């Protein structure tokens, strides 16, 4: 048994080492020497016990492998801040893990603010190091540029100083971290391709389908806005491949198909469903469409009340322009998908609302808000309202809880409502935005559509002073400065 265990441990160790063979190990002793030797380097400052570091390491190793042979050269390196790299980490003010920084011949260029998955890291670094647009000199260089699984945008210019060329280069610098650009003024290439003064978007072979053009020619104006609009409009096609790194680029109204999206292990199966999505989606130009890996976006499925996707068929989820959520309940087919989209556009679907049950007894000094009773407890309660959006596991929220309870009791007879809302188990309604916990808002009774984020102190007196000052009508028990109001007996 022990022999088997040791053999397994050895295999794991060998696998880890093999995965990281292309990542340069740096220490206090060799840091400066190695970085001066390497032309361009991304350095990960890490701690072995750090969970985020452990998750990043395999992606980092894959990116290092992907960048082998890149022109110009790009290396990936790592420094253990808890052992052999303590002095170096202190020198570069590393205070959290992992921290990534870009170096050129030993000189610090900038912090790394790009993606944290292999393809995204490689793409981001190529954009940072190389020119915004690659110059193509002949047919072979164009062919090489287009031999990629990513969209490529190529400018064909007889005069590289023309207005369109100038706009193209400006846009390429702006979007270089997201889009692959190339350009040419070589007469032989212009003649062969038949383009004289235009920009062409090429879809990669893996994304080609019979429902949309694989080569799209820019036919708009010469301005920067025109060029950028052309790219934004056509880059993802009818149904884009949505990943964790680019998900922010897909705007509502958005319809997403979740299934086993994998262009590395199963491109044929991935496109089998994508093409069926496109077949229907092409007739709904007012909506945006995407496909996403169900495994990478489990958190989004949870937001729609779905624990997992059964079977191989896509699960369709959507958000309209108002960010309301909708679930296609029928099993996917071309017919059911088309019906769902027609109903979505006709506003004939009932939105999905993630909500806890409405409390049976909500008579306490601090009202409990849930998604289903938010209008009653906050929006239409006819009172000024202070709302806390919290998470049960949040330490700051737990610390605030007794203060909030005391505040509710002190203001129990006022025209003010104190409300708490668990934002982890309930959908947060618009126009409220919650990006951390606790988040507090002040909603005046006559302006509930324009709540104000509360940025004041968290002590009972801080809340009293704020509410006394901002209340629509002066409080009964406090003056506008938050001091206890004098009673008639006090005046006598």
């Amino acid at each position: 048994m022990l022999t088997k265990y040791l053999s397994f441990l050895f295999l794991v160790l060998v696998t880890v080492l093999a995965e990281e063979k292309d990542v340069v190990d740096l220490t206090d002793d060799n840091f400066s020497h190695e970085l001066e030797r390497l032309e361009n380097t991304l350095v990960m400052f890490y701690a072995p016990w750090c969970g985020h570091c452990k998750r990043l390491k395999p992606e980092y190793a894959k990116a290092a492998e992907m960048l082998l042979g890149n022109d110009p050269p790009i290396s990936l390196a790592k420094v253990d801040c808890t052992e052999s790299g303590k002095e170096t980490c202190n020198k570069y003010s590393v205070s959290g893990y992992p921290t990534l920084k870009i170096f050129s011949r030993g000189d610090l260029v900038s912090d790394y603010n790009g993606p944290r998955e292999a393809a995204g890291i490689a793409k981001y670094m190529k954009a940072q190091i190389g020119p915004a647009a690659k110059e193509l000199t002949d047919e072979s260089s164009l062919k090489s540029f287009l031999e990629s699984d990513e969209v490529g945008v190529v400018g064909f210019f007889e005069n590289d100083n023309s207005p369109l060329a100038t706009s193209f280069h400006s846009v390429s610098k702006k979007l270089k971290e997201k889009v692959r650009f190339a350009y040419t003024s070589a007469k032989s290439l212009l003649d062969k391709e038949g383009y004289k003064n235009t920009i062409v978007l090429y879809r990669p072979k893996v994304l080609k389908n019979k429902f949309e053009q694989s080569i799209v020619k820019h036919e708009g104006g010469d301005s920067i806005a025109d060029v950028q609009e052309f790219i934004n409009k056509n880059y993802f096609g009818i149904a884009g491949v949505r990943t964790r790194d680019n998900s922010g680029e897909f705007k509502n109204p958005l319809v997403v198909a979740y299934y086993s999206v994998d262009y590395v292990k199963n491109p044929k199966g991935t496109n089998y469903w994508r093409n069926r999505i496109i077949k229907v989606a092409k007739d709904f130009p007012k909506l945006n469409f995407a496909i996403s890996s169900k495994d990478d976006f489990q958190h989004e499925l949870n937001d729609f009340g779905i624990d997992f996707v059964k079977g191989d068929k896509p699960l369709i989820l959507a958000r309209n322009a108002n960010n309301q959520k909708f679930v296609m309940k029928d099993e996917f087919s071309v017919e059911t998908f088309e019906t769902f989209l027609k109903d979505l556009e006709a506003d004939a679907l009932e939105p999905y609302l993630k909500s806890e049950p409405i409390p049976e007894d909500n008579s306490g000094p601090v009202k409990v808000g849930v998604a289903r009773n938010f209008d009653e407890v906050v929006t239409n309660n006819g009172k000024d309202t202070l709302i806390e959006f919290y998470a049960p596991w949040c330490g700051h929220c737990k610390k605030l809880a007794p203060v909030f309870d005391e505040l509710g009791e002190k203001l129990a007879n006022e025209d003010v409502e104190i409300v708490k809302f668990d934002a982890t188990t309930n959908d947060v309604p618009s126009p409220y935005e919650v990006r951390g916990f606790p988040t507090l808002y002040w909603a005046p009774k006559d302006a509930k559509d324009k709540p104000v984020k509360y940025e004041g102190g968290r002590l009972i007196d801080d809340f009293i002073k704020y509410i006394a000052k901002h209340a629509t009508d002066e409080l009964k028990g406090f003056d506008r400065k938050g001091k206890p109001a004098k009673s008639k007996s006090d005046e006598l």
Side-chain angles (χ1 to χ4, degrees):
M1 185 74 177
L2 180 61
T3 304
K4 288 183 177 180
Y5 176 74
L6 291 174
S7 298
F8 171 75
L9 214 57
F10 175 76
L11 286 172
V12 170
L13 180 61
V14 169
T15 302
V16 171
L17 291 174
E19 285 179 348
E20 297 191 29
K21 70 182 187 302
D22 300 313
V23 178
V24 181
D25 272 306
L26 298 177
T27 65
D28 291 335
D29 294 333
N30 72 357
F31 189 87
S32 297
H33 173 73
E34 283 294 303
L35 287 194
E36 287 172 5
R37 181 179 66 83
L38 300 171
E39 192 171 332
N40 304 290
T41 313
L42 175 63
V43 180
M44 173 172 67
F45 299 88
Y46 74 99
W49 45 259
C50 159
H52 293 296
C53 303
K54 291 176 183 178
R55 285 190 288 274
L56 177 60
K57 271 192 169 185
E59 296 295 325
Y60 198 70
K62 290 177 192 174
E65 183 180 5
M66 294 169 70
L67 289 168
L68 291 175
N70 189 76
D71 184 20
I74 300 174
S75 303
L76 266 60
K78 66 182 192 295
V79 180
D80 183 347
C81 292
T82 66
E83 293 293 340
S84 57
K86 285 183 179 180
E87 291 181 12
T88 301
C89 295
N90 288 333
K91 178 182 177 181
Y92 290 99
S93 303
V94 175
S95 58
Y97 309 113
T99 293
L100 292 91
K101 296 178 182 289
I102 301 171
F103 291 81
S104 177
R105 293 292 188 195
D107 294 326
L108 175 62
V109 177
S110 67
D111 289 337
Y112 174 90
N113 296 309
R116 296 296 175 100
E117 49 85 26
I121 293 170
K123 184 175 182 179
Y124 184 94
M125 287 304 298
K126 287 180 180 179
Q128 294 296 313
I129 302 306
K134 181 180 179 64
E135 184 176 10
L136 307 178
T137 56
D138 52 30
E139 185 179 350
S140 63
S141 61
L142 174 61
K143 182 179 179 182
S144 176
F145 178 76
L146 297 179
E147 286 178 350
S148 170
D149 288 338
E150 296 180 47
V151 169
V153 179
V154 182
F156 294 89
F157 309 116
E158 287 182 298
N159 178 3
D160 200 38
N161 293 319
S162 68
L164 183 61
T166 300
S167 293
F168 170 86
H169 288 298
S170 294
V171 172
S172 69
K173 291 174 183 175
K174 187 176 181 180
L175 301 181
K176 67 177 184 176
E177 293 170 7
K178 301 176 182 178
V179 183
R180 296 170 59 249
F181 290 95
Y183 71 98
T184 184
S185 295
K187 188 175 185 304
S188 60
L189 198 50
L190 296 177
D191 290 342
K192 185 176 187 308
E193 296 299 314
Y195 301 124
K196 297 301 181 184
N197 189 46
T198 192
I199 300 167
V200 181
L201 183 144
Y202 295 86
R203 302 196 195 286
K205 183 178 180 181
V206 72
L207 295 182
K208 290 180 180 178
N209 60 82
K210 64 181 181 181
F211 302 108
E212 61 185 341
Q213 294 177 301
S214 58
I215 298 175
V216 187
K217 181 180 175 183
H218 171 60
E219 296 178 341
D222 293 346
S223 71
I224 291 175
D226 291 329
V227 173
Q228 190 163 338
E229 183 184 2
F230 163 72
I231 295 171
N232 290 340
K233 181 180 178 181
N234 295 286
Y235 186 80
F236 289 114
I238 295 174
V241 181
R242 183 170 168 270
T243 66
R244 284 177 291 184
D245 287 328
N246 69 16
S247 59
E249 298 174 45
F250 290 82
K251 306 303 181 184
N252 292 343
L254 177 63
V255 181
V256 182
Y258 298 84
Y259 62 100
S260 296
V261 175
D262 192 336
Y263 276 104
V264 176
K265 296 179 181 178
N266 188 19
K268 186 175 180 181
T270 299
N271 276 335
Y272 175 85
W273 293 115
R274 180 174 183 261
N275 289 343
R276 278 153 182 74
I277 298 293
I278 292 174
K279 181 179 181 180
V280 180
K282 64 180 175 57
D283 296 324
F284 294 85
K286 294 180 181 179
L287 301 174
N288 301 311
F289 294 87
I291 62 170
S292 285
S293 166
K294 61 182 181 181
D295 295 330
D296 289 345
F297 286 90
Q298 183 60 50
H299 61 289
E300 290 189 352
L301 300 178
N302 293 342
D303 280 343
F304 282 77
I306 296 165
D307 294 328
F308 61 92
V309 179
K310 301 176 183 177
D312 297 328
K313 292 185 177 181
L315 172 72
I316 305 298
L317 305 178
R319 289 180 184 267
N320 64 12
N322 296 323
N323 206 36
Q324 291 178 302
K325 299 188 289 189
F326 301 89
V327 179
M328 190 177 97
K329 298 177 182 178
D330 295 323
E331 185 178 73
F332 179 86
S333 70
V334 169
E335 292 74 25
T336 58
F337 186 42
E338 184 176 17
T339 299
F340 173 77
L341 295 181
K342 287 180 178 178
D343 289 342
L344 180 65
E345 282 200 330
D347 200 22
L349 297 173
E350 182 179 349
Y352 168 78
L353 196 63
K354 182 173 73 170
S355 178
E356 292 179 288
I358 295 175
E360 292 183 10
D361 180 9
N362 208 2
S363 58
V366 177
K367 296 293 184 287
V368 177
V370 299
R372 288 200 183 98
N373 75 352
F374 195 84
D375 283 348
E376 175 191 345
V377 173
V378 176
T379 309
N380 302 322
N381 65 6
K383 296 182 179 182
D384 295 332
T385 308
L386 181 69
I387 314 122
E388 177 206 4
F389 294 94
Y390 73 95
W393 44 259
C394 161
H396 293 295
C397 304
K398 292 176 182 178
K399 185 177 179 181
L400 181 61
V403 179
F404 231 56
D405 288 340
E406 183 181 355
L407 179 64
E409 291 173 1
K410 283 184 176 292
L411 300 180
N413 297 318
E414 303 288 354
D415 194 27
V416 175
E417 202 76 273
I418 308 300
V419 178
K420 61 181 181 180
F421 185 99
D422 184 348
T424 67
T425 53
N426 296 276
D427 281 337
V428 177
S430 178
Y432 299 88
E433 290 186 2
V434 177
R435 296 181 180 176
F437 301 109
T439 295
L440 294 98
Y441 278 93
W442 173 253
K445 65 179 180 181
D446 297 326
K448 290 291 174 70
D449 59 331
K450 296 179 181 178
V452 179
K453 198 169 185 180
Y454 175 82
E455 304 284 7
R458 303 284 175 83
L459 300 177
I460 187 69
D461 287 343
D462 297 323
F463 287 118
I464 293 290
K465 288 178 181 178
Y466 181 92
I467 293 173
K469 179 181 177 180
H470 293 90
T472 303
D473 302 312
E474 187 169 339
L475 301 181
K476 302 169 188 173
F478 300 88
D479 64 20
R480 283 296 185 181
K481 293 183 179 180
K483 294 180 180 180
K486 293 181 180 180
S487 64
K488 292 184 177 179
S489 59
D490 290 336
E491 292 175 356
L492 293 173

